[in-house]
Amino acid sequence: MSTPVIGWIGLGKMGHPMAQHLVNAGYPVTVYNRSKDKETGFGNTATSPKETMAGADIIFLMVSDDAAIHDLVQGPEGLLAAGVSGKLVVNMSTVSPHISREVAASLHKQGNEYLDAPVSGSVKQAQDAALVIMVGGPAAAFEQAKPVLEKIGRLVMRVGDHGAGNTAKLAINSMLAYHAQGLAEAVLLARNNGIATADLLTLINNSALGNPFIKIKGQAILDNNYAPAFALKHIAKDLRLAKHLGLATPLGQAAFDSFQHAEATLGEEDIIAIIKQL
Ligand code: NA7
């Protein structure tokens, strides 16, 4: 297939570096973001999702949540309003499997294809093109998107049909919530009993429990730096979505309660800001 024309919608903390990789790889890319200031630096911009859809072969979405997808797809200036066919929409946002299946069905009616392709990894992995990308949707559409996704991720894997990528992502992010809360609780237990946080983190990072997440978030606790790499409000959303999938285990319920409670005051800070609530 000749080089596909790319439409990219959503230039937040994740979407911006991801779209930039596709520009750097030589794809013709047109971007759209609701707040126009975030489009600065990109050559080709569209005035609406509808225009983005009409002008591209593969249209990527990287936005906050189900409500954003609903607006961008069904809205008066949304993807469906373009009334075109033969396009592939790849939704990389973390959303519910339910909305993925709904959007896939609406797009199919017009003769378009859809993949859910959420990512594991945060801003650093997005900047390094090292995301782990899990895909739900038909194999043929997957093969079409794969070469483009490989410019953004270090692993691109199809796990099933529409919604399967979202389901895998929610399982992973429930575990992410346990890691964040677990690290915070261990630091507090040690600190309250006279162990320096720096010492505890050195021990953890040299043990079997040391991993990139614990290393980065441990450093954030030491630096008292809660600027969002992965905003706490996003994990609160993911746990709500996971609950709809049946998350009701002891850890799952505890993490759900903890992050819902923290969202009102700490939602705009990083996930590890959960330590401030505890
Ligand atoms: P950010 O940095 O909070 O960015 C969110 C993006 O979503 C940003 O481009 C927003 O546009 C856009 N957005 C949000 N709501 C809407 C609506 N209703 N319509 C159009 N566009 C919207 O999030 P991240 O980049 O960190 O995360 C993106 C996804 O990856 C998310 O699913 C995470 O869970 C994982 P704005 O600039 O506000 O106009």
Side-chain angles (χ1 to χ4, degrees):
M1 188 190 170
S2 58
T3 306
V5 176
I6 307 295
W8 190 283
I9 298 177
L11 298 167
K13 284 185 284 299
M14 296 292 289
H16 195 286
M18 292 162 75
Q20 190 61 54
H21 288 309
L22 300 189
V23 174
N24 296 349
Y27 287 104
V29 180
T30 296
V31 300
Y32 167 82
N33 195 74
R34 180 180 59 176
S35 314
K36 302 315 268 177
D37 56 309
K38 291 184 188 159
E39 294 174 350
T40 308
F42 287 94
N44 301 321
T45 61
T47 56
S48 64
K50 176 179 158 184
E51 187 184 304
T52 315
M53 179 82 164
D57 301 311
I58 308 182
I59 300 91
F60 290 85
L61 306 173
M62 189 52 164
V63 294
S64 307
D65 52 19
D66 283 30
I69 292 299
H70 188 270
D71 289 353
L72 289 167
V73 175
Q74 323 262 15
E77 289 296 307
L79 303 184
L80 294 171
V84 291
S85 61
K87 312 285 184 176
L88 171 58
V89 174
V90 182
N91 183 8
M92 305 193 75
S93 325
T94 297
V95 295
S96 67
H98 173 76
I99 197 161
S100 275
R101 290 192 281 266
E102 196 179 285
V103 170
S106 309
L107 287 166
H108 275 165
K109 278 190 197 148
Q110 293 187 334
N112 299 300
E113 195 44 90
Y114 174 89
L115 294 172
D116 43 293
V119 307
S120 185
S122 192
V123 174
K124 171 85 170 71
Q125 289 74 29
Q127 288 166 344
D128 295 348
L131 293 165
V132 171
I133 304 176
M134 52 212 88
V135 184
F142 174 69
E143 291 306 325
Q144 192 188 341
K146 196 172 173 219
V148 187
L149 291 171
E150 282 172 343
K151 302 286 188 251
I152 303 172
R154 69 179 151 87
L155 176 68
V156 182
M157 190 172 152
R158 178 174 175 266
V159 288
D161 210 345
H162 294 129
N166 301 130
T167 302
K169 166 71 182 180
L170 293 176
I172 292 173
N173 270 20
S174 65
M175 191 170 152
L176 183 72
Y178 311 156
H179 268 63
Q181 176 117 4
L183 173 63
E185 292 190 15
V187 164
L188 292 176
L189 178 66
R191 189 185 286 169
N192 292 340
N193 288 281
I195 306 294
T197 300
D199 289 348
L200 181 80
L201 291 171
T202 300
L203 294 169
I204 291 175
N205 286 328
N206 283 283
S207 77
L209 289 173
N211 66 43
F213 178 81
I214 298 289
K215 205 167 177 185
I216 291 169
K217 298 309 174 189
Q219 193 59 46
I221 293 173
L222 276 180
D223 296 343
N224 207 23
N225 175 8
Y226 299 104
F230 180 53
L232 190 145
K233 65 180 176 187
H234 289 320
I235 197 76
K237 168 199 73 174
D238 297 346
L239 289 165
R240 283 195 292 278
L241 295 177
K243 202 165 171 59
H244 282 293
L245 289 183
L247 180 73
T249 47
L251 275 179
Q253 190 59 49
F256 176 84
D257 292 341
S258 177
F259 282 97
Q260 302 312 302
H261 184 63
E263 189 179 9
T265 49
L266 300 169
E268 300 301 328
E269 299 190 49
D270 191 69
I271 180 174
I272 199 61
I274 194 67
I275 195 170
K276 294 202 225 173
Q277 166 171 282
L278 299 170

